[in-house]
Amino acid sequence: MQSSYINKNYQAEDKPAVIQLYKNLMEYHSDIIYWWPGPQNNWNNVYCVFYKDLMIAKGQIETINIIPANHSTNATHLIFFNIKLHSKWEDDNELRNLLYKNILERANLMKEKLPSQFPVKLCAGNFASEAKDNAYLESMGFEHFKSLYWMHCDLDNLVPQSTLIIPSIFVKQWDIETRAEELSYLQAEQKIWPDDPTSIEKLLEYKSKPFWKAVTAFYNDEIIGSIMVWKEIQEDIGTIENVFVKPRWRNHGIASHLITEGLHYLKDCNLSKAQLLVETENESALKLYRSLSFETIKEERRYWIDL
């Protein structure tokens, strides 16, 4: 490790260097998962290494999901991190070790603030093509626990909007404005994913994204299905996330209808593409998304260790 390296937290004046690092990586790699520093209250979670005036590496960490203290099932807190190295230094695992040390120290501080009755996993995700980053994780004892397909849809070639004809069901673009509405949504979603519930903090983060909406189906006043849509901050692409339909309402075309409504909404926001992630082994979801013109673009591999 060279003594001329400077290892520090991200600051506002580092923005051009972060952009330059991204451009370097995109020049040498077709696909990368690259995190942007985000708002100022996140900068303590962003670590940068400089050689002279050049940012040669960046690491970030974020608590992706916090399990509420009163949650009743076996669930796990998830803390994710992302480390990226300039192309000239991508073989330097000592440099990765420097950032990983920062990440691990920060992860343990984050762990102390989480409800202690639930275990904590430290996680990372890279595209399958990011072989050196994945090899480093495996060398550090991380276990590959799942893979995801990134799927894209061209919004200029959408299927027509459908009409869902089921008595007493209505669909709306929902802003989930009040705390009572937030809790109502979270309670409905947690019945679908009891071991991986969305926290109120994560919901608020979703709601802060550009053009965010929940496209939600109701039976009378009961939430029976929903998706979220928004625009990615650094890209002119829409995202579809948190797709669910309650079991007794499946196989009625509700998921297809919600996704189609969401895609048309994103197109109305002047976006040309939409993306979503799906587990590679979820055959029913893959069949649905392909029927709506989504195509598999790339594969992400996710790893974790116990913290």
Side-chain angles (χ1 to χ4, degrees):
M1 181 62 62
Q2 296 189 28
S3 59
S4 56
Y5 289 172
I6 298 174
N7 178 22
K8 69 185 188 82
N9 282 108
Y10 175 83
Q11 299 296 323
E13 62 267 22
D14 299 326
K15 182 177 179 180
V18 164
I19 295 172
Q20 188 58 42
L21 177 60
Y22 173 74
K23 289 180 177 178
N24 167 264
L25 291 168
M26 290 304 296
E27 181 179 354
Y28 286 89
H29 303 281
S30 58
D31 294 312
I32 58 166
I33 294 179
Y34 189 83
W35 292 9
W36 298 96
Q40 186 172 356
N41 62 8
N42 188 55
W43 293 353
N44 284 338
N45 298 326
V46 184
Y47 302 92
C48 308
V49 180
F50 284 82
Y51 175 64
K52 298 180 179 179
D53 294 329
L54 180 68
M55 184 182 292
I56 62 172
K58 180 176 67 67
Q60 287 183 230
I61 185 167
E62 179 182 353
T63 304
I64 294 296
N65 217 8
I66 301 172
I67 309 304
N70 60 354
H71 195 64
S72 59
T73 64
N74 296 323
T76 303
H77 303 299
L78 301 179
I79 300 176
F80 271 77
F81 71 93
N82 177 268
I83 291 176
K84 289 292 174 280
L85 273 59
H86 189 282
S87 62
K88 292 183 179 179
W89 281 265
E90 65 181 2
D91 293 321
D92 190 346
N93 277 344
E94 288 189 26
L95 184 54
R96 284 189 176 89
N97 287 340
L98 175 64
L99 283 172
Y100 182 65
K101 180 181 178 182
N102 292 335
I103 292 294
L104 195 57
E105 289 174 353
R106 189 66 176 168
N108 281 302
L109 290 175
M110 291 175 163
K111 178 181 178 179
E112 292 176 2
K113 299 179 181 179
L114 300 174
S116 59
Q117 65 267 45
F118 301 105
V120 182
K121 295 280 192 182
L122 182 61
C123 314
N126 298 302
F127 289 128
S129 58
E130 297 182 89
K132 293 179 180 179
D133 293 311
N134 291 330
Y136 175 75
L137 292 172
E138 291 169 1
S139 74
M140 298 298 289
F142 281 78
E143 174 190 356
H144 171 235
F145 71 97
K146 71 177 174 181
S147 291
L148 303 166
Y149 287 138
W150 287 56
M151 305 187 77
H152 281 197
C153 173
D154 186 344
L155 296 178
D156 291 329
N157 299 309
L158 286 181
V159 299
Q161 287 177 284
S162 63
T163 301
L164 191 66
I165 305 176
I166 303 176
S168 301
I169 288 183
F170 72 98
V171 174
K172 70 174 182 179
Q173 295 175 9
W174 190 22
D175 291 322
I176 314 185
E177 294 178 302
T178 68
R179 180 49 59 98
E181 289 178 331
E182 290 169 350
L183 294 176
S184 176
Y185 169 83
L186 292 174
Q187 288 169 0
E189 190 196 83
Q190 286 174 12
K191 292 179 181 178
I192 307 298
W193 301 300
D195 294 338
D196 189 20
T198 298
S199 64
I200 185 67
E201 294 85 0
K202 194 65 180 178
L203 177 57
L204 294 177
E205 179 188 332
Y206 287 147
K207 289 173 61 178
S208 71
K209 295 179 182 291
F211 304 137
W212 179 90
K213 293 285 184 183
V215 183
T216 306
F218 295 84
Y219 175 70
N220 296 327
D221 293 326
E222 177 193 358
I223 299 168
I224 62 171
S226 188
I227 69 169
M228 293 185 188
V229 296
W230 63 75
K231 175 189 174 296
E232 291 299 320
I233 294 174
Q234 297 290 339
E235 302 176 75
D236 289 326
I237 188 169
T239 287
I240 292 180
E241 182 66 271
N242 287 38
V243 178
F244 74 86
V245 174
K246 287 185 175 179
R248 70 179 291 258
W249 291 101
R250 292 172 186 170
N251 301 314
H252 292 286
I254 294 173
S256 177
H257 180 80
L258 294 175
I259 294 167
T260 302
E261 289 290 310
L263 292 173
H264 280 274
Y265 167 76
L266 292 171
K267 184 176 182 179
D268 290 342
C269 294
N270 296 317
L271 301 177
S272 60
K273 290 188 180 296
Q275 67 181 8
L276 54 77
L277 277 72
V278 58
E279 292 191 21
T280 56
E281 297 180 357
N282 191 341
E283 293 294 339
S284 60
L286 284 166
K287 182 179 179 180
L288 169 63
Y289 299 146
R290 287 167 179 156
S291 74
L292 296 171
S293 300
F294 279 90
E295 297 180 351
T296 300
I297 303 299
K298 45 206 169 187
E299 179 183 339
E300 177 185 346
R301 293 175 61 85
R302 291 191 176 176
Y303 296 84
W304 63 14
I305 59 170
D306 294 319
L307 188 61

